Amino acid sequence: MQITPVIAIHLAAALAAVAIGPIALWARQGATQRPRLHRAAGYAWVTLMVATAVSALFITGGPGPRWGSFGLIHLLIPVTLGMLAMAFVFLARHNIVGHRKMMQRTYIGACVVAGGFTLLPDRFLGHTVWSALGLI
């Protein structure tokens, strides 16, 4: 398997989201809050997460149970998009605590946990990384 344009878009958007997410979360923490930075990084992060989720629709699933070209990891697509939508619903209702928790959970689940799964040795990216390091 090789890196196709869709995989390149997915990978670039995901890596950028992993990097920008903490900035958006940090900008509203502590005594010194940075609302403009929070909003800019937040919108950038949401855009990158939507790009990551949508591009995943065009990538075939890895090993394991499949439904057509979709694997188990594809179940994260509607979950991620739904959590992002709920975060904006909370925001529209002025429920800042709900918005914050939803965004934190989305970052942990979609970036950290899903990102960890992509580094498993039997997945394309994981195999590429671990073989380049000479570990498999």
Side-chain angles (χ1 to χ4, degrees):
M1 189 171 185
Q2 63 182 359
I3 294 183
T4 64
V6 173
I7 292 174
I9 290 167
H10 180 76
L11 183 59
L15 289 174
V18 168
I20 290 174
I23 296 168
L25 295 172
W26 164 81
R28 290 299 269 186
Q29 297 294 320
T32 305
Q33 295 191 5
R34 298 156 184 88
R36 291 172 70 189
L37 176 61
H38 170 75
R39 189 169 289 128
Y43 278 120
W45 183 77
V46 168
T47 302
L48 290 165
M49 289 304 299
V50 170
T52 301
V54 171
S55 64
L57 289 169
F58 302 98
I59 301 172
T60 58
R66 299 169 65 102
W67 187 44
S69 64
F70 297 113
L72 288 176
I73 199 162
H74 286 92
L75 293 173
L76 294 173
I77 296 168
V79 171
T80 299
L81 294 174
M83 291 177 77
L84 291 172
M86 281 305 302
F88 280 100
V89 168
F90 284 132
L91 194 59
R93 294 180 180 168
H94 303 286
N95 182 348
I96 303 304
V97 172
H99 172 75
R100 179 184 307 119
K101 286 181 181 178
M102 191 61 64
M103 286 303 203
Q104 289 170 342
R105 290 174 183 162
T106 305
Y107 181 81
I108 296 297
C111 290
V112 177
V113 174
F117 280 121
T118 65
L119 293 176
L120 292 173
D122 62 340
R123 303 216 25 102
F124 171 69
L125 184 61
H127 181 76
T128 303
V129 168
W130 301 123
S131 63
L133 294 173
L135 299 175
I136 59 170

